[in-house]
Amino acid sequence: MAIRFEIIKIDPSGARLGRLTTPHGTIDTPAFMPVGTAGTVKAMTQEALEGLNVNLLLANTYHLYLRPGHELIRRMGGLHRFMAWRGAILTDSGGFQVFSLADLRKVNDEGVRFRSHLDGSEHVLTPEKAIEIQRALGSDIGMLLDECTEYPATHERAASATRRTIAWARRSKKEIETTSASEANPEQAFFAIVQGGIHKDLRRESAAELVALDFPGYAIGGLAVGEPHEISCEIARETAACLPAEKPRYVMGVGKPEQLVDYVRCGADMMDCVLPTRNARNGYLYTNEGPLHIKNAEFMDDPRPIDEACACTVCRRYSRAYLCHLFRANEILGAILNTHHNLYFFLDIMKAIREAIAFGNLSRFSSELQARLEAGHP
Ligand SMILES: [Zn+2]
């Protein structure tokens, strides 16, 4: 068994407290995965991630395939060894980046033809190729290639992408079963991705077909692409209800701090988002009283920490004035400290969510958190 998932408690809202065991350790769920695009969570050392108790991170197949190349990483003994990471790794299929970053992409039933955003070289990503690349990387959890749709997408457009994604899942399943497992990680598991845009009938069809193929876990893709948050949650909830209760569910690419608990209440066990890390590098910091822009002049002589209620090592030591100076002087340390705080902030919310499920007070926690975070929004 590649991964094991155990549900400890289910909240009346549908939120699940669980434990995901992978070949590289056990993760308490619901879990937030920091994004390590190119085999690095930008501005964080692996030691610093360990210090934040990160035990699962996401790496992007598209980026690693183009640079340094999956064959090089295979020769280096797989991604864990290459990046000296002892915890678990989930890799995406590369599909989302191909659809959002690559130039001149052409999709047909065979796969996606695209040009690298780095050097313009031409590549073809097929469901089989996505498995081959991720096996070379040796992640603990890989994802099947899917066709992502933009928002808004008509029913016809979403239906075509959904059916193509189902057909690609069948090919992926065959590829997984008829070819050799990852040398770097023989216990690697692959999750299928439910698509269907905001169309509930398509979500149900997509989930039913993928569940019939029996994967060890399922992702809900195509959310947080511009649709209103209420619709996003409704679709997540509806889709989660069509997935097997005993298997992990990963809602891809979400969300803002105040939204994490909403997705958890829709039944999400895993989430990932670039917001804490990307925003940190832009000087956008999350606090319990709403976000702040550290570059603003008001912080130049502010001796307080980023967030007085935050227990992270940055807030215990450094002032807003210093962080404002580092940002304005374009010093590397600014990105490092900002990223550390933002990641701590997201991970701390997830920890509080898990505790609230355990103590049976998630709905009270959720309304208090919402009120607190939204009060400070500009
Ligand atoms: Zn902090």
Side-chain angles (χ1 to χ4, degrees):
M1 190 67 181
I3 57 163
R4 209 169 61 240
F5 185 60
E6 183 191 343
I7 293 175
I8 298 162
K9 189 170 176 183
I10 300 181
D11 183 82
S13 67
R16 297 133 59 94
L17 184 69
R19 209 175 278 137
L20 177 69
T21 303
T22 74
H24 290 85
T26 297
I27 296 105
D28 294 324
T29 63
F32 180 82
M33 295 183 276
V35 177
T37 303
T40 157
V41 177
K42 291 190 201 315
M44 295 289 287
T45 62
Q46 276 59 322
E47 289 86 342
L49 291 168
E50 285 158 7
L52 290 175
N53 296 316
V54 172
N55 47 17
L56 171 62
L57 54 79
L58 180 144
N60 288 127
T61 294
Y62 169 83
H63 291 277
L64 293 169
Y65 162 73
L66 292 178
R67 186 173 59 191
H70 62 295
E71 289 300 344
L72 182 140
I73 294 177
R74 188 204 300 274
R75 290 198 299 278
M76 294 294 112
L79 185 57
H80 288 87
R81 192 176 292 178
F82 181 58
M83 63 180 284
W85 178 246
R86 301 186 197 100
I89 300 174
L90 180 146
T91 43
D92 62 8
S93 67
F96 184 79
Q97 269 78 25
V98 166
F99 285 98
S100 56
L101 282 181
D103 300 322
L104 294 172
R105 53 175 203 266
K106 286 200 186 80
V107 196
N108 59 28
D109 289 340
E110 176 59 20
V112 199
R113 182 177 294 273
F114 65 97
R115 281 188 195 280
S116 158
H117 74 292
L118 295 175
D119 61 7
S121 55
E122 196 169 285
H123 305 265
V124 179
L125 187 62
T126 62
E128 293 81 8
K129 183 81 181 174
I131 304 285
E132 181 203 323
I133 298 169
Q134 292 178 87
R135 277 180 165 167
L137 300 176
S139 54
D140 299 284
I141 299 170
M143 304 299 301
L144 307 190
L145 185 66
D146 59 333
E147 183 179 358
C148 313
T149 44
E150 58 295 331
Y151 174 82
T154 62
H155 190 276
E156 192 189 356
R157 160 92 183 99
S160 131
T162 300
R163 281 159 204 158
R164 185 171 277 153
T165 298
I166 294 166
W168 284 358
R170 287 200 188 99
R171 278 164 57 189
S172 304
K173 175 89 178 171
K174 190 167 166 231
E175 180 74 8
I176 293 164
E177 288 175 349
T178 57
T179 55
S180 328
S182 164
E183 270 174 55
N185 193 351
E187 298 297 295
Q188 183 178 35
F190 283 94
F191 287 11
I193 306 173
V194 179
Q195 287 291 349
I198 59 161
H199 307 281
K200 291 183 181 172
D201 60 321
L202 296 178
R203 288 282 175 178
R204 282 193 290 270
E205 177 187 335
S206 175
E209 295 284 343
L210 297 176
V211 169
L213 291 171
D214 191 24
F215 288 96
Y218 293 90
I220 302 175
L223 293 180
V225 290
E227 75 285 1
H229 180 57
E230 294 69 31
I231 294 181
S232 187
C233 288
E234 209 181 307
I235 296 296
R237 180 177 295 279
E238 183 93 6
T239 309
C242 303
L243 296 173
E246 71 282 6
K247 291 185 178 175
R249 304 165 185 161
Y250 161 31
V251 180
M252 305 179 85
V254 299
K256 296 178 183 164
E258 65 274 19
Q259 297 174 345
L260 296 172
V261 65
D262 298 332
Y263 289 108
V264 167
R265 296 178 84 189
C266 296
D269 304 306
M270 302 154 73
M271 290 171 280
D272 78 285
C273 192
V274 293
L275 282 179
T277 42
R278 181 183 292 163
N279 280 338
R281 298 193 304 280
N282 294 321
Y284 183 95
L285 305 179
Y286 294 94
T287 84
N288 282 284
E289 291 168 343
L292 58 82
H293 289 276
I294 198 65
K295 70 167 184 288
N296 289 355
E298 59 180 305
F299 302 122
M300 286 176 79
D301 56 359
D302 188 339
R304 293 175 295 166
I306 301 168
D307 182 350
E308 265 155 349
C310 178
C312 87
T313 52
V314 176
C315 289
R316 286 207 303 242
R317 184 162 187 164
Y318 303 95
S319 67
R320 290 175 176 181
Y322 183 57
L323 293 166
C324 178
H325 157 68
L326 292 178
F327 188 87
R328 285 169 168 247
N330 202 19
E331 283 291 338
I332 292 172
L333 185 58
I336 294 170
L337 298 177
N338 292 347
T339 303
H340 191 103
H341 163 80
N342 271 0
L343 271 181
Y344 181 96
F345 189 84
F346 272 62
L347 295 165
D348 197 48
I349 288 179
M350 294 309 298
K351 189 168 157 228
I353 290 173
R354 290 193 297 270
E355 284 166 4
I357 303 173
F359 290 119
N361 56 11
L362 186 69
S363 85
R364 199 181 73 215
F365 170 83
S366 168
S367 36
E368 281 171 11
L369 179 81
Q370 229 89 356
R372 196 154 44 95
L373 293 178
E374 277 163 12
H377 273 285

